[in-house]
Amino acid sequence: MYKAIIGDKPFNIQLKEDEILINDKLFSWDISKVNEHSYHILKNDISYRIEVAEINYKTKEVILKINGHKYEVKVKDKLDLLLEKLGMDMSTAPNINEVKAPMPGLILQVNVSEGDEVKEGDALMILEAMKMENVLKAPGDGIIKAVNVNQGDGVEKNQVLVQF
């Protein structure tokens, strides 16, 4: 079972052995692959040209051009639907607005400053703890609001180091 959401309209998709059901109705369109990113569909004697303009595998979003008009499609698979049903989907996850020290230590290097734009996974700073260097990374995309420590500062566990 899958769910595709176009705009705010959901479509339930079921894949059976040799058929596809969309909202419990048999999908009986004639589809021909034109090239790697384009398809031709014939439905009720109406021709549609579909181009896959963009795919974001991380967010599970696809941008389609159908006869020149853009449509954004969000796709949810079985796991997404189960997590949503259990109230554990990522859309309800809180935003992380700060990075705290995971342990007491010494700030060896600060790689960001106020106003910097960072992407998820960017190295923010290096914390030395127990003779090991720990790279503290951005938990998500954002703009640095404040850097609360400097190189050479000692920090305590859970001390706020960076705010977004």
Side-chain angles (χ1 to χ4, degrees):
M1 171 77 108
Y2 295 90
K3 183 182 277 188
I5 303 165
I6 302 173
D8 60 350
K9 188 171 183 183
F11 296 90
N12 293 316
I13 302 168
Q14 292 178 316
L15 304 176
K16 300 227 174 175
E17 287 181 27
D18 57 346
E19 61 185 17
I20 300 171
L21 298 174
I22 298 178
N23 292 339
D24 297 322
K25 293 182 182 174
L26 184 62
F27 179 80
S28 58
W29 302 3
D30 182 26
I31 299 177
S32 300
K33 187 172 185 174
V34 175
N35 61 40
E36 186 178 353
H37 300 287
S38 297
Y39 299 85
H40 180 262
I41 295 179
L42 192 59
K43 168 88 170 133
N44 297 334
D45 295 325
I46 300 174
S47 178
Y48 299 94
R49 175 143 177 118
I50 297 182
E51 178 187 344
V52 179
E54 187 178 323
I55 299 175
N56 185 329
Y57 293 100
K58 186 175 179 181
T59 61
K60 297 182 182 177
E61 295 178 350
V62 179
I63 295 177
L64 300 175
K65 285 185 182 177
I66 303 174
N67 291 344
H69 299 284
K70 277 189 176 181
Y71 296 91
E72 185 175 310
V73 181
K74 295 178 184 175
V75 179
K76 294 184 180 184
D77 60 16
K78 291 176 187 179
L79 180 59
D80 296 325
L81 295 171
L82 177 62
L83 290 173
E84 187 177 276
K85 185 176 181 180
L86 295 172
M88 299 168 55
D89 61 322
M90 292 306 291
S91 64
T92 60
N95 287 336
I96 298 173
N97 296 324
E98 56 192 20
V99 171
K100 295 180 180 181
M103 62 195 81
L106 178 71
I107 301 296
L108 292 181
Q109 182 178 335
V110 178
N111 300 332
V112 294
S113 56
E114 186 177 323
D116 286 354
E117 189 172 324
V118 295
K119 299 286 183 197
E120 182 177 352
D122 286 354
L124 301 175
M125 60 186 59
I126 298 176
L127 172 70
E128 181 184 52
M130 301 185 301
K131 299 184 182 181
M132 292 183 60
E133 293 183 6
N134 302 283
V135 178
L136 303 181
K137 298 180 179 182
D141 297 352
I143 297 174
I144 303 296
K145 180 178 178 182
V147 178
N148 300 330
V149 292
N150 295 306
Q151 183 175 337
D153 287 354
V155 297
E156 295 298 320
K157 181 177 180 173
N158 291 325
Q159 180 178 336
V160 176
L161 306 174
V162 177
Q163 295 174 307
F164 294 95

